[in-house]
Amino acid sequence: MFKKKECVAMLLAGGQGSRLYALTQKTAKPAVSFGGKYRIIDFPLSNCINSGFDTVGVLTQYQPLLLNDYIGNGLPWDLDRTFGGVKILPPYQGNTGADWYKGTANAIWQNMEFINRYDAKYVLILSGDHIYKMDYDKMLDFHKESGADCTIAVLDVPLEEASRFGIMSVNPDGSIYKFTEKPKNPDSTKASMGIYVFTKDKLQEYLAADAANPESSNDFGKNIIPNMLGAGEKMMAYPFEGYWKDVGTIQSLWEANMDLLGERPTLSMLDESWRIYSRHGAESPQFVGKDAKVINSSVTAGCEILGTVKNCVLGSGVTVEEGAVVEDSVIFENVHIGRGAKVSYAILDANVKVGANATVGESRESGKEIAVLGADVTVADGETVPAGAMISEM
Amino acid sequence: MTVAGLIFSNIHDANIPEMTRRRTIASIPYGCRYRLVDFPLSNMVNSDITNVGIITHYNYQSLMDHIGNGKDWDLARRSGGIKLLPPFVAAYENAGANKLYENRLEALMGAVNFVNRCGADYIVLSDCDAIINIDLGAVVEDHVKSGAYMTIVTKKLLDESYHFSQPVAVLKIGEDNRITDLEDRCPEAGNVTVSTNIMVISRTDLQIVLQEAAARGLKSFHKDVIAKNLKKKVIRAYPFDGWYSPISSLEEYFESSMRLLDADVRRDLFGNADRQIYTKIRNSSPTKYAEGAEVKNSLLADGCVIEGTVENCILFRNVHIGKGTVVKNCILLQDTYVGSNVQLNCVITDKNVVIKDDRMLSGHQTMPFFIGKGEMV
């Protein structure tokens, strides 16, 4: 049942995403909602199928229930295949012991058997932390043509932000001669996007050596890439141009959602040639009431808007009652905002209930922080949640 | 006890010629994102009827495309699931008994193999020309408990807003909900009981009906199967008290669609979490409301881009409303593109219609202006 595949994609989806605090208490970061009807993992999964990669292993570890449900058999991404398709790969008990995934490299090492079943010549390593549209097939072609052992996708970032990323120093021919994780004084602006193509045999060789080293933290960025560079393997930087955003923080997640709005959004979901697929239920159409106001916003099926919504991204099944005002906010699915309530500059996770005349957050102009309510949190009638609050239901 | 379903996809095609020129009545788009067949199909699935045959006649490409393998209704099953039942027609002249069916009974006879092989104890029959969210499980249970020969879901029409431009089965109901009379006619509005054409009958009884029909050349299900048997056999009514909206003309389609703007109607149709209406998933992006958008009292699907004013409208997926445009009391089907500074009132556009900048079009509530599929104004 295992047809040979030239390249297998491995999607690292086990991360907790602890910087998203309340939003990742109950779910893994790749399953965090984005843009109203998507989740972060929809982007790498859709990129895979749009690039013609039909065999994807998803490595899960932290809070996998929702993620497992969500991916299911892979149907929404056309990845329910007899040969290949999407497979969830949780940590498991082997005959010599049982281990959690100790690091990104270790997670792949523990699943070499999955890759080898397909007799893959190349392995594409992805993470479930970023919002971007990318043709991985072009990157694979680049890898093959350059004869590299490893190709790392890089993005030009502003120099002042470079110290937040893993920075590649690159020769004129595109080969990498130095890699520094979060450098204090960056000497290049080429940031690693956390997307790697490896020639499988080389990858297996370095993962084996890494696994044998008890001192290693079993991480691609900290161990495998520096080790390969040190040994003089051919490492290439694949330049990517276009929208790419790490949504690892509350601020960046909010910003990426806002990138969908405006007349010429920096991130458009309307592009039919590179669709982002998602799993969604049988929501009825969205209704906008006779006294409602919806301005510069993105609204999804199942919403019922009777109040005012301005500069917002609304997930499916959100209700905004009469007299309620929601501004500059990202609202996840099935949130209920009561009569006369005011929600400003906030992120509300799924199933949050904001009582009548309650206040959440402060206007963006106040210069204060984003207020965040985790899944299932209830704000009582008339209650006030201050700006910058981070509340999650335990 | 097992139950199978049979859906007639074409019976009333002639009623809405504007919209059925290139599709079956079953695949007429309705309510922003649905097609008429979604209602009987979802009703069946929600009542655990997962062996469903859809009888087709002609023009059923759009229906096949919509249904696919049935996955979106959770009916892609190894055992049971959805089966499209195209007519069995000999492709030569003098086809005799194999000619294309002309009535409900002949249509059923074409599905005789499905009936014989479905293995179900009971069969639920349903049309596609009415909007209804009904618990069919309760209907079947009532039918079994009563021991009746047949049970027909009926609707008492008190509402003045029902107009019938086509004959329907008008029923008289006696004691213990027994149907005593059936008459095919156009009822006056108000205080009549009509058949919804949703019926339950045991599989064995249906097999006998089909054998007799073949042997005696019976033609009419209403006259030869129901009306003739009213005295001999117990044919019961199952009165339905939810929202029921038959669609037998373009005006009725318009009126019925507009009723969806009523919160009570929406609650009745879409508000029950255990009885959701399913449809083919199209993966549209969320709908975008621009800075200058003004939307009031409207129902919208995903994938729209709204830059102008929309009032009392039903917008299907991927509709575009340009700047300075004012659209009122309209039903705009999937992929309708309305340019800038356009004014529309009481207009129905079929799929892929383009209205260029600065156009002004108006129909009336009682006579909506219809623009056919793919046309450009």
Side-chain angles (χ1 to χ4, degrees), chain B residues 262-269:
Chain B
D262 182 337
D264 291 335
V265 168
R266 281 202 312 280
R267 203 168 301 126
D268 196 299
L269 204 54

Side-chain angles (χ1 to χ4, degrees), chain B residues 99 102-106 213 216-221 224:
Chain B
K99 69 185 189 305
E102 284 168 357
N103 58 55
R104 186 185 300 270
L105 206 45
E106 283 179 2
R216 299 186 186 172
L218 303 181
K219 288 277 180 235
S220 163
F221 196 84
D224 297 327

Side-chain angles (χ1 to χ4, degrees), chain B residues 47 55 57 74 121 139 167 169 204 209 221 307 318-319 321 326 335 342 360:
Chain B
S47 308
I55 301 177
H57 197 190
D74 200 14
D121 301 313
V139 180
T204 45
V209 165
F221 196 84
E307 298 177 324
N318 300 8
V319 167
I321 306 288
V326 179
D335 297 310
V342 172
M360 194 191 271

Side-chain angles (χ1 to χ4, degrees), chain A residues 5 8 12 16 21 23 66 85 98 106 115 126 144 165 172-173 207 224 259 283 298 303 322 330 343 356 363 374 382:
Chain A
K5 300 281 178 186
V8 167
L12 297 158
Q16 179 177 359
Y21 308 101
L23 302 179
L66 200 148
N106 179 256
I115 298 166
L126 303 167
K144 287 193 274 188
F165 298 94
D173 68 348
L207 287 180
I224 304 295
D259 287 340
E283 279 90 14
S298 166
C303 287
E322 279 127 353
V330 179
V343 176
S363 84

Side-chain angles (χ1 to χ4, degrees), chain A residues 5 7 48-49 52-56 78-79 81 83-86:
Chain A
K5 300 281 178 186
C7 181
C48 277
I49 197 67
F53 289 45
D54 62 7
T55 307
V56 186
D78 210 4
L79 286 170
R81 300 294 179 93
F83 304 108
V86 63

